[in-house]
Structures are given as C-alpha cells and as structure tokens.
Amino acid sequence: MGAWAECPMRRARIAKGKPLIGTIANTLTIVIGSAVGSLAKRGLGEKYQEVLFMAMGLAAFGIGVNAIVTGMADSVYPVLFIASLAIGGVVGTWLDIAGRFDRFVSKRSKDGGNLSQGLSTAIMLFCFGTLSILGPMNSALHGDETYLFTNAMLDLVTSMVLASSFGFGIALAAIVLFCWQGSIYLLAAQLAPFLTSELMAEITVVGGFLILASGLGILKVREIPVMNLLPSLLVPPVWFGLVALTSGLF
C-alpha cells in the first residue's frame, strides 16, 4: 500500500473492461450468503442461535483487535484515533445517526433492535476493510478484480454467519456495500494519490475500534451506539488533507 501515493495511478484513467464486475460479484455474495444463513437459522433451536450470537460477537471482537494492532504498528500519529473517535462520536450523536438508523430498520423488521445491531456490524465488516477500499480502485484503474473477488468470498462466509444470527435483513448491507464500492470505483483516479499507507493505517485503527465496539454489543458486554461513531472514519482523511495543505503553504 505504501506505493499508492507514488505510483503512476495518479495519472491513470478508468481501465477498460466490464465496469463494477467485482463490486457486483461482492454484492451478490452477500445476498446469497444472507439467504443461506437465514434458511439455516429457521432450523436452529434457541440455544444454537445463542451460540452463533456469541461466536459472531467474539469474531467481531477479534477482528477489531487485530485491525487495531495492525494499524497502530504503522501509525504515524499515535493519538489521532482518540481525536477521531471523540470528534466523530460528537458529530454522530448530534446527527443522531444511530437513532435514525434504528428507526429505519425497525419500520422494516419485526425484530428491529437485533437486526439493527447485526446490520451495523455487517456494514463495518463489509465496507471498511482494506480489500473493500483498495479493491474497487484496483478494478477501476487496472481492471484487476483480485481484491474484490477475494473480498467477495470472505463476505459470503461472513454474511452466512451474520444472517444465521440476525436473519435475511443482513442482505440490506449489500446495498450499502454497492454504493460504497461504486463511489470509490468512480472516484478512483482522484482518490489514488491520497490513499497512502499512512492514511490507510489510521483508518484501519479507527475502523478496528468500531468493529470491536460492535462485538462488545453483540456479546452484551456494553451497548455502544456504533453508528454514531461512523463520522470518526472521516477525521483521518481530513487531518491528512490539512497536513498536506499546510505543508504546501509553509
């Protein structure tokens, strides 16, 4: 990832080929995985569903810890994640993202509370990993779908496990993923120079904390309004932009 800022992709144009094929495949695997998982859920007793809840919570917790440790090892601003979580949390609470999200999901599901928790976890896991960010860029600029196809296989398994705990409503995360990766695909040439390894490390740390918080909620250790923390992911790019701007001025 360290070569993103220096490589010729600054001048690259959108690669010719089948547009968004990797993103479409990734979206479909989530829908398929959600369908398979929800069918499996119907045949499971309550005690088995509880075990799956616990397994999903532990998995999210572990993935979050791994992302934090990995990102911090490459971090150049060790306290930026603290400012990101604080600023993002205040902004998200002011906007009431979690409340709006819960109300939206509740209108579309009898089990809105649980589905809301599952969907927030799914969105974090599907959208804010390295493969989900660099994948559409690699697809757009080089026509290489490797990252996205790899991500699709991972999301297939994850969506199956999530849907076996929270139901088919997890498939709604596929819409978010498509919009997310589609936007990155369309803006790839403009974004490539800015997605340095340093910025990706900071985003990874913040994203890791959000996934960890989702795990804590599923395990019922502590209910954290994770959706209110989503703006935290925007703080590192803004900070790096300000640093680049000020260094250019002075």
Side-chain angles (χ1 to χ4, degrees), residues 97-115:
I97 297 175
R100 295 171 189 270
F101 183 74
D102 289 344
R103 289 190 291 274
F104 172 81
V105 174
S106 295
K107 289 180 180 178
R108 288 157 178 79
S109 171
K110 296 178 180 178
D111 193 14
N114 276 338
L115 179 57

Side-chain angles (χ1 to χ4, degrees), residues 1 6 17-18 22 26 37 49 60 72 79 81 86 119-120 125 130 169 177 181 191 200 204 211 216 230 233:
M1 288 190 300
E6 293 78 27
K18 298 179 180 178
N26 201 166
Q49 291 184 31
M72 281 189 174
V79 297
F81 76 91
L119 264 178
S120 64
L125 290 171
T130 302
L177 176 107
Q181 291 187 356
L191 291 174
M200 288 301 297
T204 297
I211 295 171
L216 291 175
L230 269 182
L233 291 162

Side-chain angles (χ1 to χ4, degrees), residues 122-140:
I123 290 169
M124 303 299 166
L125 290 171
F126 295 154
C127 296
F128 301 117
T130 302
L131 292 175
S132 195
I133 295 173
L134 298 185
M137 293 186 66
N138 221 31
S139 172

Side-chain angles (χ1 to χ4, degrees), residues 161-235:
V161 177
L162 282 166
S164 66
S165 297
F166 298 100
F168 183 69
I170 292 298
L172 289 172
I175 301 172
V176 179
L177 176 107
F178 183 82
C179 295
W180 169 253
Q181 291 187 356
S183 299
I184 295 175
Y185 181 96
L186 294 173
L187 297 172
Q190 289 73 38
L191 291 174
F194 304 103
L195 286 183
T196 62
S197 58
E198 291 81 6
L199 174 57
M200 288 301 297
E202 303 300 339
I203 292 175
T204 297
V205 173
V206 176
F209 274 104
L210 299 190
I211 295 171
L212 187 151
S214 295
L216 291 175
I218 295 173
L219 291 171
K220 303 188 186 305
V221 175
R222 174 68 186 271
E223 292 294 334
I224 299 173
V226 178
M227 298 303 289
N228 279 349
L229 294 172
L230 269 182
S232 303
L233 291 162
L234 298 175
V235 177

Side-chain angles (χ1 to χ4, degrees), residues 72-97:
M72 281 189 174
D74 299 321
S75 175
V76 292
Y77 299 106
V79 297
L80 181 58
F81 76 91
I82 300 175
S84 298
L85 292 170
I87 295 171
V90 169
V91 172
T93 301
W94 176 63
L95 294 173
D96 191 26
I97 297 175

